[in-house]
Amino acid sequence: MKKPTKVKIIFVTGGVCSGLGKGLSSAAIGAILKACNYEVFSLKLDPYLNVDPGTMSPYQHGEVYVTDDGTESDLDLGHYERFIDVDLNKHSNLTTGQVYQMVLQKERQGDFLGKTIQIIPHITGTIKNYIYEAAEKIKPDFLLVEIGGTVGDIEGEPYLESARQISHELGKQQVMFVHVTLLPYLKASNELKTKPTQASVKELQSRGIRPDIIVARSDYKLTKEAIERITLFCDVTEEAVIPASTVKVIYEVPVNFEKSKISKIIQNHFDLRYRKPELADWKNLLKAIKSARKKIKIGLIGKYTENNDAYLSVNEALKAACYHYKVKLDLIWIDSVKLEKNDKKEILKLSSLDGILVPGGFGKRGIEGKILAAKYARENKLPYFGLCLGAQILAIEFARNVAKLTKANSEEFDPKAEHLVVNFLPGQSENRAKGGTLRLGAWPCIIKKDTVAYKAYKTEEISERHRHRYEFNNLYREQLEQAGLIISGDSPKKDLMEIVEVTDHPFMLGCQFHPEFKSRPLRPHPLFREFIKACLNKSGG
Ligand code: GLN
């Protein structure tokens, strides 16, 4: 196992409870280091036993994020890419399932030469290897390593032990620990309690880890007394306690952290010559967000409405495009299952919108509701943006109601339908099992001139990220085009339709890929920008 000699590793752990925004905190630290002109890469260690989140329910786990190389990962990678503006890859997400898979595969091959396989050193060794390999292959200045879960979780132990060993092997000058913890507020005594933080730091210490920075999350402003108590009991300097009160806009976090000079603490720790972070872009973004008055009403037609995280990147991409035009996003959740059942209240919601977005999704439930929304958008010239499944919905609706293929459907929802305008491409994959059979990651796409897509991208060749099993059926290309559905984005070989748009409509566009994964708060995605522009025109500028 080759130890990295230059890369500085920052481990981020979480204490007290989950849901503190550990991923956001690490991403914000990454943004600050990037703003100091360092190269930053990040990886997330997920303690669960699934091999990857690809087959996990969005209800439980939020969206599945996809990187250029087709890695299906935890949504925290989305935060990292948005904050650090770096393209992550297979070196950015490790799960316990993967670790065991690797170790057991080696065991079956006899690679351990009859030895007893144990958590220490075999599981921890594999984890360390993964981290060292990422450091060696990517060679960033800083490698941020977020350990999922909360300190004390049984599943997290091998990761903490690996982090401890890495700190032992590389030494303080190359490793740092940031602990994100919660200070609950007690109304009765009107104070923020530090005891849970003390307890979680003790837990870390008992595992041989001493945090160098404590990010203190709270819903209220941190008092001086609270900081003093943390300093005293948790063995950190006063400057190293970073107050992190809950914010309205997540992009405030880097600017807030830097108010406590976190960049200085980190660079001092690693004995680096100080570089000041250039946060002007983030500050300007916050100004734009705060000064926005006009609201734009976008209906998001989905089925995972209980859990916003299922559409996290879509939400952030919409917001980024709104920030660009200095307008506020008023996102209206519309339940496709209710639409399907002809729920009057849900249908009425459509009439107040400035635009409709149908995001990606799997399975039959709610599909007819989405088709109804697409029909409404087409007939009422309301801007419509379909992402992956949303694009397939656009094609099905168009085929049924404009091209008069009344029995059009997707093979996914009705394999026996007369006109399968969306189908499983023969030869694309022989294996139809649920794990690992999707078209994944970055694929090239050629944009046709004089189309809405070209107006947005202003270039003829693009690359976008995919995650789907079904495709537009090439047999219907001509018929649909003749009826007015333009193929404005195509694969270089013209065998995979990538973008379709309805002529004679201000903006009715669907893309087979997921543009939301490439949108950045400081660089909104061209298609989202164009969509919001069309919605603004609809709402009267
Ligand atoms: N269910 C569709 C497919 O598999 C769309 C997937 C998606 O929206 N990501 O092709």
Side-chain angles (χ1 to χ4, degrees), residues 458-474:
K458 297 183 180 62
T459 175
E460 277 174 81
E461 227 191 297
I462 57 152
S463 162
E464 292 281 1
R465 298 180 189 171
H466 290 248
R467 180 172 183 262
H468 54 100
R469 193 169 286 120
Y470 297 87
E471 306 280 351
F472 294 116
N473 187 344
N474 287 319

Side-chain angles (χ1 to χ4, degrees), residues 28 31-36 253-259 263 276-286 522:
I32 292 169
L33 291 170
K34 175 96 188 268
C36 296
V253 181
V255 175
N256 280 359
F257 277 14
E258 192 48 25
K259 281 185 192 150
S263 69
K276 198 173 173 330
E278 180 47 84
L279 293 170
D281 286 349
W282 290 106
K283 287 182 185 162
N284 288 338
L285 176 73
L286 295 179
L522 300 173

